[in-house]
Amino acid sequence: DAGVIQSPRHEVTEMGQEVTLRCKPISGHNSLFWYRQTMMRGLELLIYFNNNVPIDDSGMPEDRFSAKMPNASFSTLKIQPSEPRDSAVYFCASTQEGPAYNSPLHFGNGTRLTVT
Amino acid sequence: KNQVEQSPQSLIILEGKNCTLQCNYTVSPFSNLRWYKQDTGRGPVSLTIMTFSENTKSNGRYTATLDADTKQSSLHITASQLSDSASYICVVSGTMTTDSWGKLQFGAGTQVVVTP
């Protein structure tokens, strides 16, 4: 199994530009998460999908952030317009069941976003 | 206030020595506790998952313990190797109820550096 695949690995963009991050979860996993990691705040949940349906988006910072999961094998996180404070590493993770169960969370290797 | 507190924030150990990392949590009701290892530039990787009925679980040279009564967990690394240099993150999930989907609560991590 190739694991959770994220693209791009690195993204450098100018303030005001649109950024789209992509994620392919592990086949058969029904839960998908987007996290953001910074030195100051650690790992923060942005949004959680179960069976392609958004369950909890309370962590999405503001209307500039949006996430979609059109099918079980693909999800996107979009930032429009981007700002320097959005600079962070964004992780996608998937699991076979919800987190209250005991299946491990599998993380991708992240997208390092730099907004100048 | 963070519901998962880890200590120490960082530690340096000599190759071949043992070390123990601590995790205290207040998440309640509790479903499971996980330890993850995160290498620099990579996504976190699951080491162990324990439910309230388990008090110890091993994965190679990593041994996690759990005391659900005192809400404390530890991760013990035996005979450390240079490849153990990483951040170790404690993650706790609540149970799934009508009001909660068992959201994962992340600690800030302990940065371990193993020196030759």
Side-chain angles (χ1 to χ4, degrees), chain A residues 13 25 37-38 47 52 69 74 77 85 95 107 116:
Chain A
T13 191
Q37 187 175 41
T38 60
I47 188 167
N52 312 337
M69 192 163 185
F74 184 65
L77 178 68
R85 61 190 167 122
T95 186
F107 285 82
T116 61

PDB file of all heavy atoms in Angstrom, chain A residues 13 25 37-38 47 52 69 74 77 85 95 107 116:
ATOM      1  N   THR A  13       4.100  30.506  -2.492  1.00  0.00           N
ATOM      2  CA  THR A  13       3.189  31.366  -3.235  1.00  0.00           C
ATOM      3  C   THR A  13       3.209  32.763  -2.638  1.00  0.00           C
ATOM      4  O   THR A  13       3.687  32.977  -1.520  1.00  0.00           O
ATOM      5  CB  THR A  13       1.764  30.792  -3.217  1.00  0.00           C
ATOM      6  OG1 THR A  13       0.952  31.505  -4.147  1.00  0.00           O
ATOM      7  CG2 THR A  13       1.146  30.906  -1.830  1.00  0.00           C
ATOM      8  N   PRO A  25      -6.347   9.360   0.161  1.00  0.00           N
ATOM      9  CA  PRO A  25      -6.270   8.511   1.358  1.00  0.00           C
ATOM     10  C   PRO A  25      -5.985   7.060   0.992  1.00  0.00           C
ATOM     11  O   PRO A  25      -6.010   6.700  -0.196  1.00  0.00           O
ATOM     12  CB  PRO A  25      -7.666   8.655   1.971  1.00  0.00           C
ATOM     13  CG  PRO A  25      -8.552   8.924   0.797  1.00  0.00           C
ATOM     14  CD  PRO A  25      -7.728   9.732  -0.160  1.00  0.00           C
ATOM     15  N   GLN A  37       0.164  22.021  11.044  1.00  0.00           N
ATOM     16  CA  GLN A  37       1.181  21.960  12.099  1.00  0.00           C
ATOM     17  C   GLN A  37       2.103  23.163  12.025  1.00  0.00           C
ATOM     18  O   GLN A  37       2.686  23.462  10.984  1.00  0.00           O
ATOM     19  CB  GLN A  37       2.008  20.675  11.996  1.00  0.00           C
ATOM     20  CG  GLN A  37       2.972  20.470  13.158  1.00  0.00           C
ATOM     21  CD  GLN A  37       3.701  19.136  13.090  1.00  0.00           C
ATOM     22  OE1 GLN A  37       4.123  18.695  12.024  1.00  0.00           O
ATOM     23  NE2 GLN A  37       3.852  18.466  14.236  1.00  0.00           N
ATOM     24  N   THR A  38       2.237  23.850  13.138  1.00  0.00           N
ATOM     25  CA  THR A  38       3.197  24.949  13.277  1.00  0.00           C
ATOM     26  C   THR A  38       3.980  24.746  14.568  1.00  0.00           C
ATOM     27  O   THR A  38       3.550  23.990  15.455  1.00  0.00           O
ATOM     28  CB  THR A  38       2.490  26.318  13.344  1.00  0.00           C
ATOM     29  OG1 THR A  38       1.613  26.330  14.490  1.00  0.00           O
ATOM     30  CG2 THR A  38       1.674  26.590  12.094  1.00  0.00           C
ATOM     31  N   ILE A  47     -10.392  19.917   9.535  1.00  0.00           N
ATOM     32  CA  ILE A  47     -11.667  19.359   9.143  1.00  0.00           C
ATOM     33  C   ILE A  47     -11.600  17.842   9.154  1.00  0.00           C
ATOM     34  O   ILE A  47     -10.536  17.266   8.924  1.00  0.00           O
ATOM     35  CB  ILE A  47     -12.104  19.878   7.746  1.00  0.00           C
ATOM     36  CG1 ILE A  47     -13.539  19.456   7.412  1.00  0.00           C
ATOM     37  CG2 ILE A  47     -11.126  19.442   6.661  1.00  0.00           C
ATOM     38  CD1 ILE A  47     -14.124  20.191   6.204  1.00  0.00           C
ATOM     39  N   ASN A  52     -16.974  10.617   3.161  1.00  0.00           N
ATOM     40  CA  ASN A  52     -16.977  11.749   2.239  1.00  0.00           C
ATOM     41  C   ASN A  52     -17.812  12.936   2.720  1.00  0.00           C
ATOM     42  O   ASN A  52     -17.921  13.940   2.009  1.00  0.00           O
ATOM     43  CB  ASN A  52     -17.463  11.349   0.835  1.00  0.00           C
ATOM     44  CG  ASN A  52     -16.808  10.107   0.309  1.00  0.00           C
ATOM     45  OD1 ASN A  52     -15.717   9.736   0.741  1.00  0.00           O
ATOM     46  ND2 ASN A  52     -17.469   9.432  -0.610  1.00  0.00           N
ATOM     47  N   MET A  69     -14.415  16.706  -0.488  1.00  0.00           N
ATOM     48  CA  MET A  69     -14.089  15.297  -0.677  1.00  0.00           C
ATOM     49  C   MET A  69     -15.117  14.736  -1.652  1.00  0.00           C
ATOM     50  O   MET A  69     -16.148  14.189  -1.242  1.00  0.00           O
ATOM     51  CB  MET A  69     -14.107  14.544   0.651  1.00  0.00           C
ATOM     52  CG  MET A  69     -13.494  13.161   0.529  1.00  0.00           C
ATOM     53  SD  MET A  69     -13.065  12.448   2.111  1.00  0.00           S
ATOM     54  CE  MET A  69     -12.252  10.947   1.554  1.00  0.00           C
ATOM     55  N   PHE A  74     -10.204  10.955  -2.894  1.00  0.00           N
ATOM     56  CA  PHE A  74      -9.599  12.250  -3.191  1.00  0.00           C
ATOM     57  C   PHE A  74     -10.202  13.346  -2.325  1.00  0.00           C
ATOM     58  O   PHE A  74     -11.420  13.413  -2.138  1.00  0.00           O
ATOM     59  CB  PHE A  74      -9.795  12.592  -4.669  1.00  0.00           C
ATOM     60  CG  PHE A  74      -9.128  13.851  -5.122  1.00  0.00           C
ATOM     61  CD1 PHE A  74      -7.743  13.956  -5.116  1.00  0.00           C
ATOM     62  CD2 PHE A  74      -9.875  14.940  -5.558  1.00  0.00           C
ATOM     63  CE1 PHE A  74      -7.120  15.115  -5.531  1.00  0.00           C
ATOM     64  CE2 PHE A  74      -9.258  16.107  -5.976  1.00  0.00           C
ATOM     65  CZ  PHE A  74      -7.874  16.192  -5.975  1.00  0.00           C
ATOM     66  N   LEU A  77      -7.864  20.725  -0.096  1.00  0.00           N
ATOM     67  CA  LEU A  77      -7.948  21.834   0.844  1.00  0.00           C
ATOM     68  C   LEU A  77      -7.515  23.077   0.085  1.00  0.00           C
ATOM     69  O   LEU A  77      -6.417  23.113  -0.462  1.00  0.00           O
ATOM     70  CB  LEU A  77      -7.033  21.604   2.047  1.00  0.00           C
ATOM     71  CG  LEU A  77      -6.987  22.722   3.097  1.00  0.00           C
ATOM     72  CD1 LEU A  77      -8.316  22.827   3.825  1.00  0.00           C
ATOM     73  CD2 LEU A  77      -5.862  22.459   4.111  1.00  0.00           C
ATOM     74  N   ARG A  85       0.351  34.325   7.291  1.00  0.00           N
ATOM     75  CA  ARG A  85       0.092  33.556   8.512  1.00  0.00           C
ATOM     76  C   ARG A  85      -0.433  32.142   8.234  1.00  0.00           C
ATOM     77  O   ARG A  85      -0.582  31.345   9.158  1.00  0.00           O
ATOM     78  CB  ARG A  85      -0.895  34.290   9.410  1.00  0.00           C
ATOM     79  CG  ARG A  85      -2.261  34.547   8.797  1.00  0.00           C
ATOM     80  CD  ARG A  85      -3.069  35.490   9.666  1.00  0.00           C
ATOM     81  NE  ARG A  85      -4.247  35.996   8.982  1.00  0.00           N
ATOM     82  CZ  ARG A  85      -5.473  35.835   9.435  1.00  0.00           C
ATOM     83  NH1 ARG A  85      -5.685  35.192  10.566  1.00  0.00           N
ATOM     84  NH2 ARG A  85      -6.509  36.335   8.780  1.00  0.00           N
ATOM     85  N   THR A  95      -8.058   6.952   8.271  1.00  0.00           N
ATOM     86  CA  THR A  95      -8.169   5.794   9.142  1.00  0.00           C
ATOM     87  C   THR A  95      -9.356   4.955   8.698  1.00  0.00           C
ATOM     88  O   THR A  95     -10.293   5.460   8.069  1.00  0.00           O
ATOM     89  CB  THR A  95      -8.305   6.209  10.621  1.00  0.00           C
ATOM     90  OG1 THR A  95      -8.280   5.044  11.448  1.00  0.00           O
ATOM     91  CG2 THR A  95      -9.583   6.974  10.882  1.00  0.00           C
ATOM     92  N   PHE A 107      -0.827   9.121   8.433  1.00  0.00           N
ATOM     93  CA  PHE A 107      -0.566  10.467   7.933  1.00  0.00           C
ATOM     94  C   PHE A 107       0.213  10.416   6.630  1.00  0.00           C
ATOM     95  O   PHE A 107       1.056   9.539   6.416  1.00  0.00           O
ATOM     96  CB  PHE A 107       0.274  11.264   8.941  1.00  0.00           C
ATOM     97  CG  PHE A 107      -0.486  11.736  10.148  1.00  0.00           C
ATOM     98  CD1 PHE A 107      -0.715  10.889  11.222  1.00  0.00           C
ATOM     99  CD2 PHE A 107      -0.957  13.043  10.219  1.00  0.00           C
ATOM    100  CE1 PHE A 107      -1.400  11.321  12.342  1.00  0.00           C
ATOM    101  CE2 PHE A 107      -1.642  13.490  11.334  1.00  0.00           C
ATOM    102  CZ  PHE A 107      -1.872  12.624  12.401  1.00  0.00           C
ATOM    103  N   THR A 116       4.502  34.244   0.900  1.00  0.00           N
ATOM    104  CA  THR A 116       5.385  35.424   1.059  1.00  0.00           C
ATOM    105  C   THR A 116       4.637  36.729   0.819  1.00  0.00           C
ATOM    106  O   THR A 116       3.510  36.715   0.286  1.00  0.00           O
ATOM    107  CB  THR A 116       6.562  35.338   0.089  1.00  0.00           C
ATOM    108  OG1 THR A 116       6.031  35.314  -1.251  1.00  0.00           O
ATOM    109  CG2 THR A 116       7.374  34.084   0.339  1.00  0.00           C
TER     110      THR A 116
END
